[in-house]
Each structure stands twice: as C-alpha cells, then as structure tokens.
Amino acid sequence: EEGVGGPASMSGAQFTSPDVKKEEFRRYLERSGVIDALTKVLVGLYEEPEKPANALDFVKMTLGAPTGVDVEALKAENDQLREKNDQMTQKVVELTKKIETLTGAPASD
C-alpha cells in the first residue's frame, strides 16, 4: 500500500538501494551545475520562436559543444600528427648528434 506512511512517503534514510543511488546522482548533478545548465538550455529551446530542425544540435550548440564534427576523422588526424611529431623529434635528435660530430662540441638547445 502506498498511502500515508507507505513507500511513497519514506524518508531518505529508508530508501531502497536503487533509490539511494538515484538520489545521490541527482544531488551530484545539482551540485555540479548540470541541472541548472540543462534547465536553462531547455527553457531557451522552449522560448525559441522558431524551433530548430535538430533539437539535439541546438542543445549541443547552446552548451558549447561543436556540432557536425567527425570524431573518427579527428582521431585519425591526431594519430597522423602524433606519428609525424615522433618522426620530427627523432630527426632533431639525429641532427643534433650530427652538429655535435661536426663541431666537436655539444649542440645547445
């Protein structure tokens, strides 16, 4: 029975385990400002006179996330740039050794 004094009116100390986890998570979201930020975004979307075709992109844009980004392409580019950086770093080491060999003195950085 969920009347007066039933499960619906339990205090925080009497929550079942899943309810405790939900409440802790809700407090975490509230403390970290997530609830306020999402509320502002959703209110902004609600008040938007011309609703955007893609509500999710609106939310992302409002929160500052880039939209239309190909994450896999960025990861591939990042990997290529890291490899190029490693190659260039190795080249600097090789050229530094060559300078030291030719001049007889340690190359300065």
Side-chain angles (χ1 to χ4, degrees):
E1 176 181 353
E2 292 199 9
V4 176
S9 65
M10 288 185 170
S11 67
Q14 296 171 325
F15 277 129
T16 60
S17 183
D19 289 337
V20 170
K21 287 184 176 187
K22 287 178 187 176
E23 183 60 23
E24 287 174 357
F25 186 66
R26 188 198 61 75
R27 283 196 304 263
Y28 161 73
L29 293 175
E30 193 171 328
R31 278 193 314 271
S32 62
V34 171
I35 291 176
D36 286 341
L38 288 175
T39 300
K40 288 177 185 174
V41 169
L42 294 174
V43 167
L45 179 59
Y46 175 78
E47 293 175 346
E48 190 70 27
E50 300 218 6
K51 302 295 183 240
N54 189 328
L56 186 56
D57 279 349
F58 176 89
V59 170
K60 288 178 181 178
M61 181 187 69
T62 306
L63 288 174
T67 57
V69 174
D70 184 350
V71 175
E72 291 306 314
L74 288 175
K75 285 180 181 179
E77 180 184 14
N78 189 32
D79 289 343
Q80 290 172 350
L81 291 173
R82 285 181 188 274
E83 187 175 326
K84 182 74 171 173
N85 184 43
D86 290 345
Q87 292 169 357
M88 295 182 90
T89 300
Q90 183 60 39
K91 189 71 169 176
V92 167
V93 169
E94 291 170 12
L95 291 173
T96 301
K97 286 179 183 176
K98 190 171 190 175
I99 290 171
E100 290 173 357
T101 302
L102 294 172
T103 62
S108 61
D109 286 338

